[in-house]
Amino acid sequence: MPKRFNVVRAASALVEATLKTDKQVSIEFGVSIRTIEQWRSRLKVDEELQREFRRMANEKLSQWVGEIPNSLELAIGFIASAARTGDTTNPDMVKAITGAIATLNDVFVIQAAIQQRQQGGE
């Protein structure tokens, strides 16, 4: 007998798949990659699944976004302190600070990409 489709499970897996690979999600949820792909296809036509996906995606994004300001404030403070107290003639120090700033930028880019994926974009 085929298993009954579970909207909550599928939506939860698809939200996770916006942040992880299909392989990771398939292992986490105990399903095949093909099942993840089928759920993603069903998301395009199933209004109940769309509603649950949007609800869960917004909840997940709100949690994640809620943590960003404090994390960024701490990171920026650390970078500023390191930049003030570090040896600016040391190439490794300059590289580390530059890398940290690039990482902060990446956070904003990733956040935008996640929002777009969760809103149904690719």
PDB file of all heavy atoms in Angstrom, residues 19-52:
ATOM      1  N   LEU A  19      18.017  25.389   2.029  1.00  0.00           N
ATOM      2  CA  LEU A  19      19.222  25.685   2.799  1.00  0.00           C
ATOM      3  C   LEU A  19      20.295  24.613   2.693  1.00  0.00           C
ATOM      4  O   LEU A  19      21.443  24.846   3.051  1.00  0.00           O
ATOM      5  CB  LEU A  19      18.855  25.862   4.282  1.00  0.00           C
ATOM      6  CG  LEU A  19      17.778  26.904   4.586  1.00  0.00           C
ATOM      7  CD1 LEU A  19      17.310  26.789   6.026  1.00  0.00           C
ATOM      8  CD2 LEU A  19      18.298  28.292   4.299  1.00  0.00           C
ATOM      9  N   LYS A  20      19.898  23.430   2.241  1.00  0.00           N
ATOM     10  CA  LYS A  20      20.802  22.278   2.172  1.00  0.00           C
ATOM     11  C   LYS A  20      20.662  21.605   0.816  1.00  0.00           C
ATOM     12  O   LYS A  20      19.765  21.933   0.049  1.00  0.00           O
ATOM     13  CB  LYS A  20      20.446  21.260   3.271  1.00  0.00           C
ATOM     14  CG  LYS A  20      20.479  21.811   4.675  1.00  0.00           C
ATOM     15  CD  LYS A  20      19.968  20.789   5.671  1.00  0.00           C
ATOM     16  CE  LYS A  20      19.886  21.368   7.070  1.00  0.00           C
ATOM     17  NZ  LYS A  20      19.263  20.420   8.000  1.00  0.00           N
ATOM     18  N   THR A  21      21.495  20.629   0.571  1.00  0.00           N
ATOM     19  CA  THR A  21      21.389  19.870  -0.675  1.00  0.00           C
ATOM     20  C   THR A  21      20.245  18.858  -0.564  1.00  0.00           C
ATOM     21  O   THR A  21      19.841  18.478   0.537  1.00  0.00           O
ATOM     22  CB  THR A  21      22.682  19.104  -0.990  1.00  0.00           C
ATOM     23  OG1 THR A  21      22.881  18.084   0.007  1.00  0.00           O
ATOM     24  CG2 THR A  21      23.891  20.037  -1.026  1.00  0.00           C
ATOM     25  N   ASP A  22      19.765  18.428  -1.717  1.00  0.00           N
ATOM     26  CA  ASP A  22      18.715  17.405  -1.724  1.00  0.00           C
ATOM     27  C   ASP A  22      19.204  16.133  -1.038  1.00  0.00           C
ATOM     28  O   ASP A  22      18.439  15.470  -0.338  1.00  0.00           O
ATOM     29  CB  ASP A  22      18.271  17.098  -3.161  1.00  0.00           C
ATOM     30  CG  ASP A  22      17.414  18.211  -3.752  1.00  0.00           C
ATOM     31  OD1 ASP A  22      17.145  19.221  -3.061  1.00  0.00           O
ATOM     32  OD2 ASP A  22      17.023  18.076  -4.925  1.00  0.00           O
ATOM     33  N   LYS A  23      20.463  15.801  -1.228  1.00  0.00           N
ATOM     34  CA  LYS A  23      21.014  14.595  -0.595  1.00  0.00           C
ATOM     35  C   LYS A  23      20.958  14.716   0.924  1.00  0.00           C
ATOM     36  O   LYS A  23      20.542  13.770   1.609  1.00  0.00           O
ATOM     37  CB  LYS A  23      22.448  14.351  -1.057  1.00  0.00           C
ATOM     38  CG  LYS A  23      23.050  13.083  -0.490  1.00  0.00           C
ATOM     39  CD  LYS A  23      24.433  12.805  -1.038  1.00  0.00           C
ATOM     40  CE  LYS A  23      24.954  11.504  -0.457  1.00  0.00           C
ATOM     41  NZ  LYS A  23      26.266  11.165  -0.995  1.00  0.00           N
ATOM     42  N   GLN A  24      21.363  15.860   1.465  1.00  0.00           N
ATOM     43  CA  GLN A  24      21.316  16.062   2.917  1.00  0.00           C
ATOM     44  C   GLN A  24      19.887  15.946   3.432  1.00  0.00           C
ATOM     45  O   GLN A  24      19.640  15.309   4.462  1.00  0.00           O
ATOM     46  CB  GLN A  24      21.889  17.435   3.280  1.00  0.00           C
ATOM     47  CG  GLN A  24      23.384  17.567   3.089  1.00  0.00           C
ATOM     48  CD  GLN A  24      23.865  19.007   3.234  1.00  0.00           C
ATOM     49  OE1 GLN A  24      23.236  19.940   2.738  1.00  0.00           O
ATOM     50  NE2 GLN A  24      24.984  19.183   3.917  1.00  0.00           N
ATOM     51  N   VAL A  25      18.965  16.572   2.714  1.00  0.00           N
ATOM     52  CA  VAL A  25      17.561  16.557   3.147  1.00  0.00           C
ATOM     53  C   VAL A  25      16.983  15.148   3.037  1.00  0.00           C
ATOM     54  O   VAL A  25      16.238  14.713   3.917  1.00  0.00           O
ATOM     55  CB  VAL A  25      16.730  17.573   2.335  1.00  0.00           C
ATOM     56  CG1 VAL A  25      15.246  17.473   2.672  1.00  0.00           C
ATOM     57  CG2 VAL A  25      17.244  18.987   2.587  1.00  0.00           C
ATOM     58  N   SER A  26      17.340  14.430   1.986  1.00  0.00           N
ATOM     59  CA  SER A  26      16.804  13.075   1.828  1.00  0.00           C
ATOM     60  C   SER A  26      17.255  12.173   2.979  1.00  0.00           C
ATOM     61  O   SER A  26      16.463  11.382   3.496  1.00  0.00           O
ATOM     62  CB  SER A  26      17.216  12.476   0.475  1.00  0.00           C
ATOM     63  OG  SER A  26      18.598  12.199   0.438  1.00  0.00           O
ATOM     64  N   ILE A  27      18.492  12.345   3.416  1.00  0.00           N
ATOM     65  CA  ILE A  27      18.998  11.564   4.557  1.00  0.00           C
ATOM     66  C   ILE A  27      18.277  11.977   5.836  1.00  0.00           C
ATOM     67  O   ILE A  27      17.824  11.134   6.615  1.00  0.00           O
ATOM     68  CB  ILE A  27      20.533  11.737   4.692  1.00  0.00           C
ATOM     69  CG1 ILE A  27      21.236  11.072   3.512  1.00  0.00           C
ATOM     70  CG2 ILE A  27      21.033  11.179   6.018  1.00  0.00           C
ATOM     71  CD1 ILE A  27      22.706  11.431   3.368  1.00  0.00           C
ATOM     72  N   GLU A  28      18.157  13.278   6.035  1.00  0.00           N
ATOM     73  CA  GLU A  28      17.521  13.804   7.244  1.00  0.00           C
ATOM     74  C   GLU A  28      16.069  13.345   7.369  1.00  0.00           C
ATOM     75  O   GLU A  28      15.599  13.042   8.467  1.00  0.00           O
ATOM     76  CB  GLU A  28      17.592  15.326   7.213  1.00  0.00           C
ATOM     77  CG  GLU A  28      17.057  16.015   8.438  1.00  0.00           C
ATOM     78  CD  GLU A  28      17.216  17.533   8.372  1.00  0.00           C
ATOM     79  OE1 GLU A  28      18.168  18.028   7.751  1.00  0.00           O
ATOM     80  OE2 GLU A  28      16.352  18.216   8.958  1.00  0.00           O
ATOM     81  N   PHE A  29      15.350  13.288   6.241  1.00  0.00           N
ATOM     82  CA  PHE A  29      13.930  12.943   6.269  1.00  0.00           C
ATOM     83  C   PHE A  29      13.664  11.474   5.942  1.00  0.00           C
ATOM     84  O   PHE A  29      12.514  11.048   5.945  1.00  0.00           O
ATOM     85  CB  PHE A  29      13.143  13.861   5.327  1.00  0.00           C
ATOM     86  CG  PHE A  29      12.916  15.226   5.910  1.00  0.00           C
ATOM     87  CD1 PHE A  29      13.895  16.195   5.853  1.00  0.00           C
ATOM     88  CD2 PHE A  29      11.720  15.534   6.542  1.00  0.00           C
ATOM     89  CE1 PHE A  29      13.708  17.459   6.396  1.00  0.00           C
ATOM     90  CE2 PHE A  29      11.512  16.792   7.097  1.00  0.00           C
ATOM     91  CZ  PHE A  29      12.515  17.751   7.028  1.00  0.00           C
ATOM     92  N   GLY A  30      14.727  10.739   5.632  1.00  0.00           N
ATOM     93  CA  GLY A  30      14.564   9.311   5.354  1.00  0.00           C
ATOM     94  C   GLY A  30      13.794   9.018   4.082  1.00  0.00           C
ATOM     95  O   GLY A  30      13.014   8.067   4.025  1.00  0.00           O
ATOM     96  N   VAL A  31      14.008   9.861   3.063  1.00  0.00           N
ATOM     97  CA  VAL A  31      13.352   9.663   1.771  1.00  0.00           C
ATOM     98  C   VAL A  31      14.417   9.698   0.677  1.00  0.00           C
ATOM     99  O   VAL A  31      15.560  10.073   0.918  1.00  0.00           O
ATOM    100  CB  VAL A  31      12.278  10.747   1.497  1.00  0.00           C
ATOM    101  CG1 VAL A  31      11.168  10.673   2.543  1.00  0.00           C
ATOM    102  CG2 VAL A  31      12.882  12.137   1.452  1.00  0.00           C
ATOM    103  N   SER A  32      14.031   9.352  -0.524  1.00  0.00           N
ATOM    104  CA  SER A  32      14.975   9.383  -1.640  1.00  0.00           C
ATOM    105  C   SER A  32      15.081  10.804  -2.200  1.00  0.00           C
ATOM    106  O   SER A  32      14.198  11.639  -1.984  1.00  0.00           O
ATOM    107  CB  SER A  32      14.511   8.440  -2.749  1.00  0.00           C
ATOM    108  OG  SER A  32      13.320   8.932  -3.338  1.00  0.00           O
ATOM    109  N   ILE A  33      16.148  11.038  -2.920  1.00  0.00           N
ATOM    110  CA  ILE A  33      16.298  12.319  -3.608  1.00  0.00           C
ATOM    111  C   ILE A  33      15.142  12.487  -4.597  1.00  0.00           C
ATOM    112  O   ILE A  33      14.609  13.583  -4.773  1.00  0.00           O
ATOM    113  CB  ILE A  33      17.668  12.402  -4.317  1.00  0.00           C
ATOM    114  CG1 ILE A  33      18.777  12.485  -3.263  1.00  0.00           C
ATOM    115  CG2 ILE A  33      17.729  13.591  -5.258  1.00  0.00           C
ATOM    116  CD1 ILE A  33      20.186  12.410  -3.812  1.00  0.00           C
ATOM    117  N   ARG A  34      14.745  11.415  -5.224  1.00  0.00           N
ATOM    118  CA  ARG A  34      13.620  11.453  -6.168  1.00  0.00           C
ATOM    119  C   ARG A  34      12.342  11.947  -5.480  1.00  0.00           C
ATOM    120  O   ARG A  34      11.566  12.710  -6.061  1.00  0.00           O
ATOM    121  CB  ARG A  34      13.412  10.064  -6.786  1.00  0.00           C
ATOM    122  CG  ARG A  34      12.268   9.995  -7.765  1.00  0.00           C
ATOM    123  CD  ARG A  34      12.603  10.706  -9.062  1.00  0.00           C
ATOM    124  NE  ARG A  34      11.423  10.751  -9.898  1.00  0.00           N
ATOM    125  CZ  ARG A  34      10.930  11.845 -10.461  1.00  0.00           C
ATOM    126  NH1 ARG A  34      11.556  12.986 -10.322  1.00  0.00           N
ATOM    127  NH2 ARG A  34       9.849  11.802 -11.188  1.00  0.00           N
ATOM    128  N   THR A  35      12.128  11.520  -4.234  1.00  0.00           N
ATOM    129  CA  THR A  35      10.952  11.983  -3.488  1.00  0.00           C
ATOM    130  C   THR A  35      11.019  13.492  -3.271  1.00  0.00           C
ATOM    131  O   THR A  35      10.016  14.196  -3.451  1.00  0.00           O
ATOM    132  CB  THR A  35      10.843  11.249  -2.139  1.00  0.00           C
ATOM    133  OG1 THR A  35      10.641   9.856  -2.393  1.00  0.00           O
ATOM    134  CG2 THR A  35       9.696  11.788  -1.294  1.00  0.00           C
ATOM    135  N   ILE A  36      12.190  14.011  -2.930  1.00  0.00           N
ATOM    136  CA  ILE A  36      12.362  15.455  -2.764  1.00  0.00           C
ATOM    137  C   ILE A  36      12.013  16.160  -4.081  1.00  0.00           C
ATOM    138  O   ILE A  36      11.301  17.164  -4.098  1.00  0.00           O
ATOM    139  CB  ILE A  36      13.806  15.810  -2.341  1.00  0.00           C
ATOM    140  CG1 ILE A  36      14.182  15.142  -1.013  1.00  0.00           C
ATOM    141  CG2 ILE A  36      14.008  17.329  -2.278  1.00  0.00           C
ATOM    142  CD1 ILE A  36      13.445  15.597   0.187  1.00  0.00           C
ATOM    143  N   GLU A  37      12.505  15.607  -5.188  1.00  0.00           N
ATOM    144  CA  GLU A  37      12.223  16.189  -6.505  1.00  0.00           C
ATOM    145  C   GLU A  37      10.728  16.148  -6.814  1.00  0.00           C
ATOM    146  O   GLU A  37      10.167  17.101  -7.371  1.00  0.00           O
ATOM    147  CB  GLU A  37      13.015  15.458  -7.585  1.00  0.00           C
ATOM    148  CG  GLU A  37      14.518  15.679  -7.477  1.00  0.00           C
ATOM    149  CD  GLU A  37      15.335  14.720  -8.323  1.00  0.00           C
ATOM    150  OE1 GLU A  37      14.788  13.706  -8.833  1.00  0.00           O
ATOM    151  OE2 GLU A  37      16.545  14.971  -8.471  1.00  0.00           O
ATOM    152  N   GLN A  38      10.072  15.048  -6.463  1.00  0.00           N
ATOM    153  CA  GLN A  38       8.628  14.926  -6.692  1.00  0.00           C
ATOM    154  C   GLN A  38       7.858  15.942  -5.847  1.00  0.00           C
ATOM    155  O   GLN A  38       6.901  16.563  -6.319  1.00  0.00           O
ATOM    156  CB  GLN A  38       8.151  13.503  -6.389  1.00  0.00           C
ATOM    157  CG  GLN A  38       8.623  12.491  -7.402  1.00  0.00           C
ATOM    158  CD  GLN A  38       8.332  11.059  -6.975  1.00  0.00           C
ATOM    159  OE1 GLN A  38       8.124  10.754  -5.800  1.00  0.00           O
ATOM    160  NE2 GLN A  38       8.361  10.150  -7.949  1.00  0.00           N
ATOM    161  N   TRP A  39       8.283  16.106  -4.601  1.00  0.00           N
ATOM    162  CA  TRP A  39       7.634  17.092  -3.734  1.00  0.00           C
ATOM    163  C   TRP A  39       7.820  18.499  -4.291  1.00  0.00           C
ATOM    164  O   TRP A  39       6.907  19.311  -4.259  1.00  0.00           O
ATOM    165  CB  TRP A  39       8.183  17.012  -2.313  1.00  0.00           C
ATOM    166  CG  TRP A  39       7.740  15.801  -1.538  1.00  0.00           C
ATOM    167  CD1 TRP A  39       6.713  14.956  -1.849  1.00  0.00           C
ATOM    168  CD2 TRP A  39       8.307  15.310  -0.333  1.00  0.00           C
ATOM    169  NE1 TRP A  39       6.611  13.958  -0.897  1.00  0.00           N
ATOM    170  CE2 TRP A  39       7.582  14.154   0.055  1.00  0.00           C
ATOM    171  CE3 TRP A  39       9.355  15.718   0.475  1.00  0.00           C
ATOM    172  CZ2 TRP A  39       7.868  13.426   1.208  1.00  0.00           C
ATOM    173  CZ3 TRP A  39       9.648  14.989   1.627  1.00  0.00           C
ATOM    174  CH2 TRP A  39       8.907  13.862   1.982  1.00  0.00           C
ATOM    175  N   ARG A  40       9.007  18.767  -4.818  1.00  0.00           N
ATOM    176  CA  ARG A  40       9.270  20.090  -5.395  1.00  0.00           C
ATOM    177  C   ARG A  40       8.360  20.321  -6.607  1.00  0.00           C
ATOM    178  O   ARG A  40       7.825  21.415  -6.788  1.00  0.00           O
ATOM    179  CB  ARG A  40      10.742  20.202  -5.792  1.00  0.00           C
ATOM    180  CG  ARG A  40      11.158  21.626  -6.125  1.00  0.00           C
ATOM    181  CD  ARG A  40      12.655  21.753  -6.359  1.00  0.00           C
ATOM    182  NE  ARG A  40      13.404  21.675  -5.122  1.00  0.00           N
ATOM    183  CZ  ARG A  40      14.294  20.731  -4.818  1.00  0.00           C
ATOM    184  NH1 ARG A  40      14.580  19.777  -5.683  1.00  0.00           N
ATOM    185  NH2 ARG A  40      14.921  20.748  -3.673  1.00  0.00           N
ATOM    186  N   SER A  41       8.164  19.301  -7.428  1.00  0.00           N
ATOM    187  CA  SER A  41       7.253  19.414  -8.580  1.00  0.00           C
ATOM    188  C   SER A  41       5.820  19.615  -8.110  1.00  0.00           C
ATOM    189  O   SER A  41       5.074  20.430  -8.670  1.00  0.00           O
ATOM    190  CB  SER A  41       7.329  18.160  -9.448  1.00  0.00           C
ATOM    191  OG  SER A  41       8.580  18.080 -10.069  1.00  0.00           O
ATOM    192  N   ARG A  42       5.444  18.886  -7.078  1.00  0.00           N
ATOM    193  CA  ARG A  42       4.086  18.998  -6.543  1.00  0.00           C
ATOM    194  C   ARG A  42       3.848  20.389  -5.949  1.00  0.00           C
ATOM    195  O   ARG A  42       2.729  20.912  -6.020  1.00  0.00           O
ATOM    196  CB  ARG A  42       3.863  17.918  -5.484  1.00  0.00           C
ATOM    197  CG  ARG A  42       2.455  17.877  -4.961  1.00  0.00           C
ATOM    198  CD  ARG A  42       2.217  16.664  -4.104  1.00  0.00           C
ATOM    199  NE  ARG A  42       0.862  16.648  -3.598  1.00  0.00           N
ATOM    200  CZ  ARG A  42       0.239  15.563  -3.172  1.00  0.00           C
ATOM    201  NH1 ARG A  42       0.853  14.394  -3.204  1.00  0.00           N
ATOM    202  NH2 ARG A  42      -0.990  15.628  -2.722  1.00  0.00           N
ATOM    203  N   LEU A  43       4.899  20.991  -5.398  1.00  0.00           N
ATOM    204  CA  LEU A  43       4.793  22.331  -4.818  1.00  0.00           C
ATOM    205  C   LEU A  43       4.286  23.342  -5.841  1.00  0.00           C
ATOM    206  O   LEU A  43       3.591  24.289  -5.495  1.00  0.00           O
ATOM    207  CB  LEU A  43       6.164  22.766  -4.263  1.00  0.00           C
ATOM    208  CG  LEU A  43       6.258  24.139  -3.613  1.00  0.00           C
ATOM    209  CD1 LEU A  43       5.329  24.232  -2.403  1.00  0.00           C
ATOM    210  CD2 LEU A  43       7.695  24.433  -3.221  1.00  0.00           C
ATOM    211  N   LYS A  44       4.590  23.119  -7.102  1.00  0.00           N
ATOM    212  CA  LYS A  44       4.187  24.051  -8.164  1.00  0.00           C
ATOM    213  C   LYS A  44       2.675  24.026  -8.421  1.00  0.00           C
ATOM    214  O   LYS A  44       2.127  24.996  -8.937  1.00  0.00           O
ATOM    215  CB  LYS A  44       4.937  23.735  -9.458  1.00  0.00           C
ATOM    216  CG  LYS A  44       6.436  23.968  -9.341  1.00  0.00           C
ATOM    217  CD  LYS A  44       7.164  23.522 -10.577  1.00  0.00           C
ATOM    218  CE  LYS A  44       8.662  23.681 -10.391  1.00  0.00           C
ATOM    219  NZ  LYS A  44       9.421  23.159 -11.517  1.00  0.00           N
ATOM    220  N   VAL A  45       2.006  22.938  -8.061  1.00  0.00           N
ATOM    221  CA  VAL A  45       0.588  22.791  -8.409  1.00  0.00           C
ATOM    222  C   VAL A  45      -0.334  22.561  -7.206  1.00  0.00           C
ATOM    223  O   VAL A  45      -1.543  22.702  -7.331  1.00  0.00           O
ATOM    224  CB  VAL A  45       0.384  21.636  -9.423  1.00  0.00           C
ATOM    225  CG1 VAL A  45       1.096  21.954 -10.725  1.00  0.00           C
ATOM    226  CG2 VAL A  45       0.850  20.303  -8.853  1.00  0.00           C
ATOM    227  N   ASP A  46       0.207  22.226  -6.067  1.00  0.00           N
ATOM    228  CA  ASP A  46      -0.595  21.873  -4.887  1.00  0.00           C
ATOM    229  C   ASP A  46      -0.714  23.096  -3.974  1.00  0.00           C
ATOM    230  O   ASP A  46       0.245  23.485  -3.305  1.00  0.00           O
ATOM    231  CB  ASP A  46       0.077  20.708  -4.152  1.00  0.00           C
ATOM    232  CG  ASP A  46      -0.737  20.182  -2.985  1.00  0.00           C
ATOM    233  OD1 ASP A  46      -1.407  20.983  -2.298  1.00  0.00           O
ATOM    234  OD2 ASP A  46      -0.672  18.963  -2.733  1.00  0.00           O
ATOM    235  N   GLU A  47      -1.898  23.698  -3.932  1.00  0.00           N
ATOM    236  CA  GLU A  47      -2.094  24.927  -3.161  1.00  0.00           C
ATOM    237  C   GLU A  47      -1.921  24.709  -1.665  1.00  0.00           C
ATOM    238  O   GLU A  47      -1.385  25.578  -0.962  1.00  0.00           O
ATOM    239  CB  GLU A  47      -3.460  25.524  -3.463  1.00  0.00           C
ATOM    240  CG  GLU A  47      -3.550  26.093  -4.873  1.00  0.00           C
ATOM    241  CD  GLU A  47      -4.896  26.736  -5.155  1.00  0.00           C
ATOM    242  OE1 GLU A  47      -5.680  26.949  -4.195  1.00  0.00           O
ATOM    243  OE2 GLU A  47      -5.149  27.032  -6.334  1.00  0.00           O
ATOM    244  N   GLU A  48      -2.348  23.579  -1.158  1.00  0.00           N
ATOM    245  CA  GLU A  48      -2.181  23.292   0.275  1.00  0.00           C
ATOM    246  C   GLU A  48      -0.691  23.187   0.622  1.00  0.00           C
ATOM    247  O   GLU A  48      -0.240  23.743   1.631  1.00  0.00           O
ATOM    248  CB  GLU A  48      -2.901  21.999   0.658  1.00  0.00           C
ATOM    249  CG  GLU A  48      -2.803  21.684   2.139  1.00  0.00           C
ATOM    250  CD  GLU A  48      -3.463  20.366   2.515  1.00  0.00           C
ATOM    251  OE1 GLU A  48      -3.868  19.591   1.626  1.00  0.00           O
ATOM    252  OE2 GLU A  48      -3.558  20.118   3.733  1.00  0.00           O
ATOM    253  N   LEU A  49       0.063  22.513  -0.227  1.00  0.00           N
ATOM    254  CA  LEU A  49       1.505  22.391  -0.014  1.00  0.00           C
ATOM    255  C   LEU A  49       2.169  23.764  -0.133  1.00  0.00           C
ATOM    256  O   LEU A  49       3.053  24.102   0.652  1.00  0.00           O
ATOM    257  CB  LEU A  49       2.112  21.401  -1.015  1.00  0.00           C
ATOM    258  CG  LEU A  49       3.625  21.161  -0.918  1.00  0.00           C
ATOM    259  CD1 LEU A  49       4.037  20.713   0.487  1.00  0.00           C
ATOM    260  CD2 LEU A  49       4.062  20.142  -1.965  1.00  0.00           C
ATOM    261  N   GLN A  50       1.727  24.569  -1.075  1.00  0.00           N
ATOM    262  CA  GLN A  50       2.272  25.921  -1.228  1.00  0.00           C
ATOM    263  C   GLN A  50       2.052  26.750   0.034  1.00  0.00           C
ATOM    264  O   GLN A  50       2.964  27.436   0.498  1.00  0.00           O
ATOM    265  CB  GLN A  50       1.628  26.628  -2.422  1.00  0.00           C
ATOM    266  CG  GLN A  50       2.040  26.069  -3.762  1.00  0.00           C
ATOM    267  CD  GLN A  50       1.204  26.635  -4.901  1.00  0.00           C
ATOM    268  OE1 GLN A  50       0.337  27.477  -4.710  1.00  0.00           O
ATOM    269  NE2 GLN A  50       1.458  26.133  -6.109  1.00  0.00           N
ATOM    270  N   ARG A  51       0.838  26.679   0.580  1.00  0.00           N
ATOM    271  CA  ARG A  51       0.527  27.447   1.794  1.00  0.00           C
ATOM    272  C   ARG A  51       1.402  27.004   2.963  1.00  0.00           C
ATOM    273  O   ARG A  51       1.948  27.834   3.689  1.00  0.00           O
ATOM    274  CB  ARG A  51      -0.951  27.303   2.167  1.00  0.00           C
ATOM    275  CG  ARG A  51      -1.879  28.184   1.368  1.00  0.00           C
ATOM    276  CD  ARG A  51      -3.289  28.189   1.964  1.00  0.00           C
ATOM    277  NE  ARG A  51      -3.887  26.863   2.040  1.00  0.00           N
ATOM    278  CZ  ARG A  51      -4.534  26.264   1.041  1.00  0.00           C
ATOM    279  NH1 ARG A  51      -4.680  26.875  -0.119  1.00  0.00           N
ATOM    280  NH2 ARG A  51      -5.042  25.068   1.201  1.00  0.00           N
ATOM    281  N   GLU A  52       1.522  25.699   3.137  1.00  0.00           N
ATOM    282  CA  GLU A  52       2.321  25.171   4.256  1.00  0.00           C
ATOM    283  C   GLU A  52       3.804  25.492   4.064  1.00  0.00           C
ATOM    284  O   GLU A  52       4.498  25.856   5.009  1.00  0.00           O
ATOM    285  CB  GLU A  52       2.109  23.661   4.400  1.00  0.00           C
ATOM    286  CG  GLU A  52       2.744  23.072   5.634  1.00  0.00           C
ATOM    287  CD  GLU A  52       2.180  23.612   6.947  1.00  0.00           C
ATOM    288  OE1 GLU A  52       1.060  24.166   6.974  1.00  0.00           O
ATOM    289  OE2 GLU A  52       2.874  23.488   7.972  1.00  0.00           O
TER     290      GLU A  52
END
